Each structure stands twice: as structure tokens, then as C-alpha cells.
Amino acid sequence: MKDLPDRRLLLVHAHPDDESINNGATMAKYAAEGARVTLVTCTLGEEGEVIPPALAHLAPDRDDALGPHRVGELAAAMAELGVSDHRFLGGPGRYRDSGMMGAPQNHRPGAFWSADLDEAAGHLVAVVREVRPQVLITYDPNGGYGHPDHIQAHRVAMRAAELAADPGFRPDLGAPWEIAKIYWNRVPRPVAESAFGRLREVLDKTPFAKAGSVDDVPGVVDDPVITTEIDGAAFAVAKASAMRAHVTQIEVAEPWFALSNALAQPLLTTEYYELVRGERSETGVPSAGGRGSGETGIPSAGGRVSADPRETDLFQGVAP
Ligand SMILES: CC(=O)N[C@H]1[C@@H](O[C@@H]2[C@H](O)[C@H](O)[C@@H](O)[C@H](O)[C@H]2O)O[C@H](CO)[C@@H](O)[C@@H]1O
Ligand SMILES: [Zn+2]
């Protein structure tokens, strides 16, 4: 591919911080290996809560200045991951954070949840046809945990993958491009359960008063659904630093973290995926026994029932 690196990865996320929480180690790994890593974030996270009291004035019901502040947090997080190509869908502020499901903000003018799907997907088609990624990562249809912006980010990403490959769709946006492999963010239930078990054992040694539960982790599925695991242990510090850069949203005390609801969760450095489009490569982690360090330096105890080997590289089987 003329003038493009051989390996090109596109990630589509809803808010600044989702990319570091879900894929920080994956992004840092591939960026370090010379792949082109492109992040598209669909909103500025304007409706988020604010953890540090000194920044409380940024809140949507105060100065409503959280969105621009989170743009800066995202830039700092990308610097920690070594990712230089990060964009906002349709440009910064084109789509506004919709708030949690059922909130009045869901229907505020400009809210991402009420965006026209093909109009929003059209903005992403322009990026796909420019970057020509072989691999796309986004959320499952429930957005991991049912947040409207996550659900909409899934819909826009999947629709854009379809439209980008259609030669009849908006030729003005560039030559058609077929994304070879599409992955959804997932966490295997055994890994989440063993990680929370360890967290509960040491909770009194953490700065967090309460621990969350497996149900608080987005995209938890039974083991056989997982097709791919990326061992990002070498990038644990980068991931933790990127998460820490999202100061208004996340408090990090490795290998644990908490979002604004202050419920501690494990910080996973093996990141897991479900391949939903493209060919699963034949080689991979042997099928017997649990593998991969489910958290920073803590071996996972989660055994696996899937008979198929898991991929250990998102780009396995794709052409440059
Ligand atoms: C990780 C993520 O998607 N965060 C979103 C989410 O934030 C949650 C929200 O503030 C909720 O009120 C808290 O209890 C919870 O702890 C937060 O994770 O929703 C926000 C509003 O849409 C969004 O800005 C934030 O990025
Ligand atoms: Zn989010």
C-alpha cells in the first residue's frame, strides 16, 4: 500500500478514556512495533463526572467545560501510548456525550445517541478510506455495558465498515476499502472472576473503599467466545499511565483502578477480543489451560474451555 505502514489498526471509541481502559496495552504494543494506530473518539465526554474536587467546576452543570478538558487528557494519554493519530468523529464537538442510558441528555440536540447513523458513519468512512486499516476494534452490540454512546459507536463503526467497502457509496470520500478483520472488546469471565477474587483479598491495602464486581466490567463473556488475546504485559506501565492521564474520570493504583463511581476494578494487561469478521488464524495460544497474565504481573487462573487456539496477533493472516 503506497506510503502507508504495512500494518494499520483503527479503533473506534465513544469517550476519551475508553481507549486506554479497553485497549491501552494493545495500542501501545502495535505503536511500538511500527504499526499505524488510529483512534477515532466519537464524543468529547462532556457529560462525565469529575473525580478531583479541584476540577469540579468543569462539570456539565457548572462551567460545562469538561469536554475541552478531556481533549487534553486524551492527548496526554495518547502520548503515553505512543499513538499520534487520534481524531474526533466529524471533528471535535460534532457529537456530544449523551449521558448514561435514560438520562435527559440522551435527547439533547447534538447528542451522539440521536445522531443520524449514515451521516455519522460517513465521517468514519472518510477515515477508513484514508488510513485503509486491515483491522478494526470496537464494542459489541451492547457497547460493553449498555452506555448509549458505546452502543452508537458500535453501530457507526460496523456501518462505516460496510459503507467504506461499497464503491457506490460517496466516491468523493476516496477509493473503497474492505477491512479484513473486525474485533469486539471482550473480557473472559474466568479472568474477571479471578482478578476480582485477588482484589477482594487485598482491598484493605488499596486506596479504594469498595470493590466492584464482574458485572461492572464491560464485555464479559464466557471463555469460548474469546478468539484472541494480546499479551500487553510489557506495556503495563504505558497503559496505567494512559489511564492515569484521564484525571477527571479514573483513579489508578496499579494493578487496580476506579472510575468516578469509586468501585475498584482490575487493570488488565492481557487484552481480549472476539473476532467477528475475517479469518481466525490457525496458530495461537495452545488450547489447554489458562494463559496470559490477566492483570499486571498477576497470572490468571482462568482456565479455558475453548478447543480452538486463540490468536495472539490481530494482524495474523492479513496482507500489508
Ligand atoms: C468508562 C466510560 O464509559 N465512562 C463514561 C461514563 O461514565 C460513567 C458515569 O459518569 C457514571 O455516572 C459513573 O457512575 C460511572 O462511574 C462512570 O464510568 O458516562 C459518562 C457520561 O456519558 C461519560 O462521560 C464517561 O466517559
Ligand atoms: Zn465510554
Side-chain angles (χ1 to χ4, degrees):
M1 191 58 54
K2 181 176 166 307
D3 300 334
L4 288 172
D6 282 353
R7 297 188 299 167
R8 304 175 301 279
L9 168 62
L10 172 63
L11 300 101
V12 179
H13 276 294
H15 314 106
D17 75 5
D18 293 310
E19 80 295 326
S20 298
I21 295 170
N22 289 280
N23 314 109
T26 299
M27 296 170 77
K29 165 189 162 61
Y30 284 108
E33 293 175 359
R36 166 88 174 257
V37 179
T38 300
L39 168 67
V40 175
T41 305
C42 297
T43 78
L44 306 187
E46 299 92 331
E47 294 293 333
E49 296 185 14
V50 179
I51 295 176
L55 297 177
H57 62 87
L58 297 171
D61 58 355
R62 299 268 301 271
D63 299 349
D64 194 19
L66 186 54
H69 183 87
R70 290 180 75 176
V71 170
E73 291 182 347
L74 180 60
M78 292 305 95
E80 297 290 349
L81 301 180
V83 171
S84 54
D85 186 5
H86 51 99
R87 317 174 190 205
F88 290 97
L89 185 68
R94 174 66 187 81
Y95 298 104
R96 185 177 170 100
D97 183 338
S98 307
M100 298 293 274
M101 187 60 83
Q105 298 92 319
N106 293 179
H107 307 291
R108 173 177 169 150
F112 186 46
W113 180 232
S114 47
D116 175 86
L117 179 61
D118 280 10
E119 193 261 356
H123 294 300
L124 190 55
V125 166
V127 178
V128 170
R129 289 181 174 175
E130 174 203 334
V131 174
R132 310 174 78 75
Q134 298 101 333
V135 176
L136 165 65
I137 293 173
T138 192
Y139 310 105
D140 66 80
N142 187 43
Y145 71 98
H147 190 294
D149 292 333
H150 287 222
I151 294 170
Q152 188 76 311
H154 161 86
R155 293 173 179 172
V156 168
M158 299 305 288
R159 180 65 171 151
E162 185 187 333
L163 293 174
D166 178 355
F169 179 77
R170 296 287 305 277
D172 60 301
L173 294 180
W177 178 256
E178 172 101 29
I179 298 172
K181 301 176 87 174
I182 299 179
Y183 292 91
W184 292 344
N185 295 307
R186 291 299 193 182
V187 175
R189 189 174 301 282
V191 167
E193 287 170 343
S194 62
F196 274 102
R198 284 173 179 73
L199 170 53
R200 284 190 287 273
E201 286 169 5
V202 299
L203 185 64
D204 57 341
K205 299 181 179 61
T206 76
F208 307 112
K210 289 187 286 181
S213 71
V214 173
D215 294 340
D216 295 311
V217 179
V220 172
V221 289
D222 293 335
D223 222 57
V225 174
I226 306 293
T227 60
T228 309
E229 62 180 60
I230 302 300
D231 181 352
F235 301 93
V237 171
K239 176 169 183 174
S241 301
M243 289 174 67
R244 205 173 267 121
H246 292 286
V247 168
T248 57
Q249 304 302 305
I250 308 171
E251 187 180 0
V252 177
E254 294 169 58
W256 320 108
F257 76 95
L259 299 166
S260 47
N261 62 8
L263 295 178
Q265 298 187 42
L267 189 162
L268 303 180
T269 57
T270 295
E271 294 171 341
Y272 299 88
Y273 301 92
E274 177 186 1
L275 177 66
V276 294
R277 180 203 280 182
E279 291 305 312
R280 179 174 181 170
S281 55
E282 289 309 307
T283 57
V285 174
S287 57
R291 284 294 184 93
S293 59
E295 305 152 61
T296 309
I298 300 176
S300 80
R304 203 168 41 253
V305 294
S306 166
D308 298 331
R310 283 181 184 165
E311 296 178 317
T312 54
D313 176 9
L314 300 173
F315 290 89
Q316 275 168 264
V318 300

